[in-house]
């Protein structure tokens, strides 16, 4: 150890420690620009100069090493003058108008000017004349604002090991850029954005600024994790899969959701829609990576090793065995409560078992993951319908209604009640249970979401000869996954976007549907659908069967004793998820409408938290299942990284899949999974970089008074 004195303050520090860091860590502010705690020092900015007793001249404190007995002064007349001169020389080539800079108010250079009191009035001001580069994805390069602190170069070369950014020279001006001014993709940039994180002036900055997002920094920088309704740590499990530790990857997923395999097959991938990799080439195949982890998981990190609190003596009844109900039951049991699930249908799973077709979601996958919940100690009763949930409070301390939306909607249009007209839920349930559906050979499905395509593709597998799918939405705004649309077309299903449904024709039975083309379709400020039809575009499609796939309602009625809202949904307090009856809570589709399995899982987790609190628990359902992960910041260079595209899935040819309900999509193969995970930008690595501290954050410092 060494004892040093800085401005009269005695400090005990490690021998040969960085003096600047010693000062900063002890609340003593020394001005600096080129210094960053995660980067090697270069001492170029001359802001951190100090005088050392017994030594001539001044020394950058960032390169000064502590020695026992060293006496350091940071604010002498000489230091102040030289520091001011150095700053004024920097300002001579920097734009004067700070107010137009996106980093205004959060710029280290700006606060340093305020601290030192320098200005560029004494220096000859010059314009660098370097054109701002906005051609790269994710990042803007505005080298007119560069002060050559070198942080970005050191971050790219030393911290990340990529080596894309270097000092360049053009027309007597030095700037930071790629060799031959290549675009970042062509220079093999890894788009880790560490350069933007360490830049003190906004010279290299994110195209999407935090100030405009109203989001927390960690959410904006790792959008996949934020966009996931369950907030699963996606970069973490992708990294585990890349390392070949599939058990750890699956454990990460199970920390937030008890259905990793189900989600790996049918998740709607809100995460991938926000994936930054998509702005570089193609978004990560997050769902497929999750699936791969789940399918290769042996359970070594979670089977029999998760949380299980002692029994509390409290009893909870969950009405409905879909993803929301099962998830809530699982976590409530882990909190020590006795939980019983009452399900009306022969098996649990809800729409996972009776809505999503088995060619997309094999029933054994649902059964296996439901078995984990049952093995946790949850009692499951099937074939039980609950009409009066209030009566359950005589036996249970709390009740959760998670009954979902199992009633299809018929649009109020002519012909809606003709024989041959079906609704989505009834049709898909019958098909799932092997019951005769009653459809004919020529089918029209009305609707443009995934459920509509499930209906159309199921009809194809049941032997329908001609299938049309029509919807109000234009193709680019259809809610169905692009993959669903394209695979349906491959199977011979005719897709008709931007159509109005005028009437279902027929007298004793359906004969077809009359349509008109839509010029425009939107919702007004009152959420009413507005349609603008194309005059003279009336046309007819013959059919003997029409399937409405235009929405789903809850089957609940006012007789259930709970306050109901739109579409028979249960009205709940948005924070506590409590219904109008004390002790009864609600979660999932029955509270907010039909959405997705992952949203239902998240709602089930939230309900478990609130019910546990209601029963006297702490509401903490979190658990750590996966091991600690070492995140190596030195990612290195990878040739052609920016141009890597998503791995192709193994999908059976059309002729082998369209006439049966067997699984046809087998995901990413073993030989491709490492390559796919290697495409990840690892956005979360940026959160490991220490944020810069401004001088205003140091309590013992005031603005310097210049001599």
């Amino acid at each position: 150890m060494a004892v040093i004195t800085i401005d009269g303050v005695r400090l005990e520090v490690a021998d040969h420690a960085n003096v600047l860091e010693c000062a900063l860590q002890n609340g003593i502010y020394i001005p600096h620009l080129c210094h960053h705690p995660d980067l090697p020092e270069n001492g170029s900015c001359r802001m951190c100069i100090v005088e050392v007793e017994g030594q001539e001249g001044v020394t950058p404190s960032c390169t000064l090493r502590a020695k026992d007995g060293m006496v350091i002064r940071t604010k002498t007349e000489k230091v102040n003058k030289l520091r001011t001169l150095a700053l004024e020389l920097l300002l001579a080539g920097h734009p004067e108008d700070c107010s137009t800079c996106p980093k205004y108010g959060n710029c280290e250079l700006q606060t340093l000017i305020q601290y030192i009191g320098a200005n560029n009035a004494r220096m000859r001001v010059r314009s660098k004349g370097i054109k701002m580069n906005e051609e790269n994805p994710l990042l803007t390069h505005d080298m007119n604002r560069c002060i050559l602190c070198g942080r970005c170069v050191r971050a790219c070369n030393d911290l990340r090991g990529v080596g894309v950014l270097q000092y360049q020279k053009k027309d007597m001006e030095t700037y930071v850029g790629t060799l031959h001014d290549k675009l970042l993709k062509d220079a093999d940039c890894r788009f880790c954005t560490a350069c933007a994180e360490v830049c003190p002036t906004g010279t290299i900055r994110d195209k999407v600024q935090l100030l405009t997002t109203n989001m927390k920094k960690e959410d904006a920088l790792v959008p996949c994790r934020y966009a996931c309704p369950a907030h699963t740590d996606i970069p973490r499990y992708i990294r585990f899969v890349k390392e070949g530790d599939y058990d750890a990857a699956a454990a990460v997923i199970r920390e937030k959701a008890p259905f990793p395999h189900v989600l790996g097959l049918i998740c709607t991938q809100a995460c991938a829609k926000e994936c930054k990799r998509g702005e570089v080439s193609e978004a990560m195949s997050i769902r497929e990576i999750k699936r791969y982890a789940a399918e290769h998981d042996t359970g070594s990190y979670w089977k029999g090793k998760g949380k299980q609190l002692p029994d509390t003596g409290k009893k909870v009844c969950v009405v409905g065995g879909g993803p929301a109900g099962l998830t809530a039951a699982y976590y409530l049991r882990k909190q020590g409560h006795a939980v019983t699930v009452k399900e009306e249908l022969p098996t649990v799973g809800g729409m996972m078992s009776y809505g999503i077709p088995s060619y997309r979601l094999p029933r054994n996958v649902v059964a296996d993951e439901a078995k984990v919940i049952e093995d946790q100690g949850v009692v499951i009763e099937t074939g039980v319908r609950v009409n009066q949930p209030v009566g359950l409070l005589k036996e249970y301390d709390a009740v959760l209604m998670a009954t979902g939306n199992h009633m299809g909607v018929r649009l109020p249009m002519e012909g809606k009640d003709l024989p041959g007209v079906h609704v989505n839920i009834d049709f898909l349930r019958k098909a799932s249970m092997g019951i005769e559906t009653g459809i004919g050979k020529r089918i029209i499905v009305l609707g443009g979401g995934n459920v509509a395509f499930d209906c159309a593709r199921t009809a194809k597998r049941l032997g329908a000869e001609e299938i049309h799918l029509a919807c109000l939405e234009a193709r680019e705004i259809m809610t169905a996954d692009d993959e669903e649309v394209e695979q349906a077309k491959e199977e011979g299903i005719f897709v008709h976007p931007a159509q109005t449904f005028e009437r279902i024709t027929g007298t004793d039975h359906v004969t077809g549907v009359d349509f008109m083309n839509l010029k425009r379709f939107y919702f007004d400020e009152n959420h009413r659908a507005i349609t603008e039809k194309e005059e003279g575009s009336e046309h007819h499609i013959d059919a003997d069967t029409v399937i409405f796939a235009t929405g789903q309602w809850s089957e609940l009625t006012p007789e259930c004793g709970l306050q109901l809202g739109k579409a028979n949904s249960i009205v709940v307090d948005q924070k506590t998820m409590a219904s109008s009856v004390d002790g009864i809570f609600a979660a999932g589709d029955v509270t907010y409408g039909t959405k997705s399995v992952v949203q239902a899982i998240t709602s089930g987790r939230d309900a478990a938290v609130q019910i546990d609190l209601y029963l006297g628990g702490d509401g903490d359902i979190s658990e750590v299942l996966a091991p600690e992960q070492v995140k190596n910041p030195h990612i290195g260079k990878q040739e052609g990284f920016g141009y890597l595209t998503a791995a192709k899935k193994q999908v059976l040819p059309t002729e082998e899949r369209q006439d049966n309900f067997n699984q046809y999509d087998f995901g990413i193969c073993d030989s491709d999974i490492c390559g796919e995970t290697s495409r990840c930008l690892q956005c979360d690595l940026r959160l490991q970089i220490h944020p810069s501290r401004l001088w205003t954050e140091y309590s013992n410092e005031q603005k310097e008074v210049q001599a």
Side-chain angles (χ1 to χ4, degrees):
M1 298 296 290
V3 175
I4 64 174
T5 303
I6 303 178
D7 293 338
V9 178
R10 186 175 179 275
L11 302 176
E12 188 173 318
V13 301
D15 200 25
H16 300 294
N18 179 310
V19 168
L20 175 58
E21 270 299 308
C22 291
L24 297 175
Q25 289 171 10
N26 285 277
I28 301 172
Y29 179 70
I30 300 177
H32 56 277
L33 270 178
C34 65
H35 167 77
H36 190 282
D38 298 316
L39 306 176
E41 305 294 354
N42 67 4
S44 64
C45 73
R46 308 294 290 178
M47 293 296 108
C48 71
I49 55 173
V50 296
E51 286 192 283
V52 180
E53 191 174 284
Q55 296 183 16
E56 289 188 17
V58 296
T59 305
S61 59
C62 64
T63 58
L64 182 63
R65 298 299 166 182
K67 294 181 181 179
D68 192 50
M70 186 176 278
V71 177
I72 301 161
R73 297 182 180 87
T74 73
K75 295 182 285 188
T76 67
E77 180 179 356
K78 183 177 183 179
V79 165
N80 288 341
K81 284 183 177 180
L82 289 174
R83 192 177 285 156
T84 301
L85 176 62
L87 183 55
E88 288 175 346
L89 286 169
L90 287 179
L91 293 176
H94 191 78
E96 291 186 73
D97 185 8
C98 287
S99 62
T100 61
C101 178
K103 202 155 184 174
Y104 180 76
N106 194 36
C107 171
E108 291 179 59
L109 178 63
Q110 185 184 38
T111 57
L112 199 62
I113 294 168
Q114 296 167 352
Y115 180 88
I116 295 177
N119 63 71
N120 61 357
R122 295 192 298 162
M123 300 294 169
R124 181 180 176 183
V125 178
R126 73 185 193 280
S127 174
K128 295 178 182 177
I130 302 174
K131 183 181 178 182
M132 185 164 64
N133 186 349
E134 296 191 88
E135 296 180 32
N136 293 303
L138 303 180
L139 296 168
T140 294
H141 283 207
D142 185 3
M143 287 301 150
N144 288 307
R145 301 184 183 278
C146 182
I147 56 173
L148 296 177
C149 66
R151 282 193 192 176
C152 58
V153 175
R154 285 173 284 153
C156 186
N157 288 264
D158 300 292
L159 182 64
R160 292 288 185 254
V162 178
V164 167
L165 297 180
Q166 304 290 346
Y167 293 108
Q168 311 291 338
K169 202 157 192 175
K170 184 177 182 181
D171 299 329
M172 303 301 291
E173 284 288 353
T174 300
Y175 65 98
V176 173
T178 61
L179 184 64
H180 305 309
D181 290 330
K182 290 181 180 179
L183 291 176
L184 293 176
K185 282 179 71 171
D186 296 328
D188 296 331
C189 176
R190 295 293 299 268
F191 294 96
C192 67
T193 67
C195 52
E197 181 63 29
V198 301
C199 179
T201 65
T203 299
I204 300 179
R205 58 182 181 266
D206 301 297
K207 284 189 172 178
V208 178
Q209 293 292 300
L210 286 177
L211 293 175
T212 64
T213 64
N214 295 319
M215 295 166 63
K216 293 180 181 178
K217 180 178 179 178
E218 62 188 57
D219 295 336
L221 294 183
V222 192
C224 60
R225 186 168 62 196
Y226 177 71
C228 172
H231 301 311
T232 310
D233 197 345
I234 293 167
R236 187 174 173 218
Y237 75 69
I238 288 179
R239 200 175 287 113
F240 272 132
V241 172
K242 181 183 177 182
E243 295 167 357
D245 195 343
Y246 311 124
D247 280 12
V252 171
I253 301 163
R254 281 192 171 273
E255 288 176 353
K256 295 292 186 180
F259 294 97
H261 199 175
V262 167
L263 293 174
L265 292 167
I266 52 85
C267 188
T268 51
Q269 295 198 97
C271 51
K273 293 179 178 67
E274 299 298 325
C275 175
K276 288 183 179 180
R277 177 78 214 201
E279 297 182 48
V280 178
S281 58
E282 292 180 358
M284 293 294 299
S285 301
I286 299 173
R287 179 176 64 200
E288 309 309 324
I289 295 170
K290 181 191 288 123
R291 170 181 178 172
Y292 194 92
E295 290 179 344
H296 291 78
D297 174 34
T298 69
S300 64
Y301 287 115
W302 60 270
K303 283 186 177 178
K305 299 177 182 178
K307 175 196 283 189
Q308 181 56 66
L309 299 182
D311 289 348
T312 63
K314 302 291 185 180
K315 297 171 63 179
V316 181
C317 181
V318 176
V319 181
L326 289 176
T327 299
Y330 182 61
Y331 288 108
L332 285 168
R333 178 67 202 121
K334 282 174 169 284
Q335 293 299 102
H337 310 304
V339 185
T340 300
V341 174
K342 295 182 183 293
E343 168 58 51
E344 178 182 4
L345 293 168
T347 60
V348 293
M351 288 300 177
M352 298 187 297
S353 297
Y354 296 98
I356 300 170
S358 58
Y359 60 81
R360 288 180 58 205
L361 180 55
R363 299 304 179 240
N364 65 296
V365 173
V366 181
D368 288 346
E369 296 197 320
K371 181 69 164 50
V372 172
I373 294 170
E374 193 170 15
D375 289 346
Q376 193 67 35
V378 174
V379 177
I380 295 177
E381 300 176 358
T382 57
V384 179
R385 181 180 178 87
V386 175
N387 293 314
Q388 299 290 331
V390 177
L392 294 171
L393 292 174
K394 296 176 182 178
E395 182 181 353
Y396 297 94
D397 299 289
V399 174
L400 175 66
M401 297 294 290
T403 50
N405 291 338
H406 289 264
M407 183 170 68
V409 176
R410 295 174 187 251
L411 294 179
M413 59 186 291
E414 183 180 335
K416 66 181 177 67
D417 295 317
L418 282 170
V421 176
H422 302 254
V423 290
N424 48 7
I425 301 305
D426 293 344
F427 169 68
L428 290 172
R429 182 182 295 177
K430 288 177 181 177
S432 291
M433 298 177 73
I435 299 172
E436 175 59 46
T437 62
I439 64 169
K441 295 298 182 183
R442 304 184 71 181
I443 316 293
I444 296 176
V445 178
L446 303 179
N450 284 334
V451 174
F453 281 90
D454 285 343
C455 291
R457 298 179 72 184
T458 295
K460 180 73 174 180
R461 285 158 173 76
L462 290 175
E465 297 172 356
E466 182 179 322
I467 304 168
H468 297 263
L469 183 148
C471 62
L472 290 168
E473 298 86 0
R475 174 64 187 90
E476 60 272 14
I477 60 170
M478 287 171 62
T479 57
D481 295 342
D482 289 341
E483 182 179 72
E484 279 288 300
V485 178
E486 295 310 310
Q487 289 180 357
K489 288 181 177 179
E490 291 170 3
E491 293 169 7
I493 294 165
F494 300 97
V495 180
H496 308 276
Q499 301 290 306
T500 64
F501 317 145
E502 296 298 306
R503 67 192 60 81
I504 299 173
T505 60
T507 51
D508 299 325
H509 197 277
V510 168
T511 59
V513 179
D514 289 341
F515 298 97
M516 286 186 71
N517 296 338
L518 263 175
K519 290 195 299 185
R520 192 178 177 210
F521 166 61
Y522 62 97
F523 291 92
D524 65 13
E525 61 277 6
N526 297 316
H527 303 290
R528 292 177 300 187
I530 306 298
T531 57
E532 296 180 10
K533 303 177 185 179
E534 181 183 318
E535 293 184 13
S537 64
E538 298 89 349
H539 56 283
H540 177 85
I541 297 177
D542 290 332
D544 55 26
T545 303
V546 172
I547 302 174
F548 278 110
T550 51
Q552 294 149 229
W553 283 27
S554 161
E555 294 181 300
L556 294 173
T557 65
E559 284 68 39
C560 71
L562 305 176
Q563 181 183 352
L564 303 181
K566 184 179 179 181
N568 298 335
S569 62
I570 298 175
V571 175
V572 295
D573 181 285
Q574 293 301 307
K575 182 179 179 181
T576 65
M577 305 181 77
S579 75
S580 57
V581 175
D582 182 48
I584 298 182
F585 300 77
D589 288 1
V590 75
T591 64
Y592 50 62
T594 305
K595 291 188 178 179
S596 66
V597 170
V598 68
Q599 285 171 307
I601 289 170
T602 302
S603 183
R605 281 181 59 92
D606 293 342
V609 169
Q610 297 304 322
I611 293 172
D612 185 52
L613 288 170
Y614 177 80
L615 296 176
D618 60 7
D620 181 10
I621 65 170
S622 64
E623 56 184 344
V624 177
L625 302 172
E628 285 290 325
Q629 184 180 69
V630 177
K631 301 175 184 178
N632 184 4
H634 200 272
I635 57 179
K637 193 167 186 175
Q638 184 175 341
E639 188 175 346
F641 178 80
Y643 289 95
L644 296 175
T645 55
K648 302 300 180 185
K649 297 192 297 178
Q650 302 175 87
V651 178
L652 290 179
T654 305
E655 59 273 13
E656 294 182 29
R657 70 178 192 246
Q658 63 184 357
D659 62 352
N660 61 79
F661 285 88
N662 298 330
Q663 186 174 3
Y664 69 90
D665 181 341
F666 298 97
I668 297 175
C669 66
D670 296 343
S671 60
D672 289 338
I673 193 66
C674 184
E676 180 59 27
T677 55
S678 296
R679 293 196 317 116
C680 182
L681 303 186
Q682 300 189 70
C683 300
D684 61 334
L685 289 181
R686 182 165 163 181
L687 298 175
Q688 291 183 308
I689 299 175
H690 287 85
S692 300
R693 292 177 65 185
L694 306 180
W695 70 267
T696 51
E697 299 176 55
Y698 293 84
S699 59
N700 71 324
E701 283 292 329
Q702 299 295 323
K703 183 178 180 297
E704 286 193 13
V705 179
Q706 296 299 302

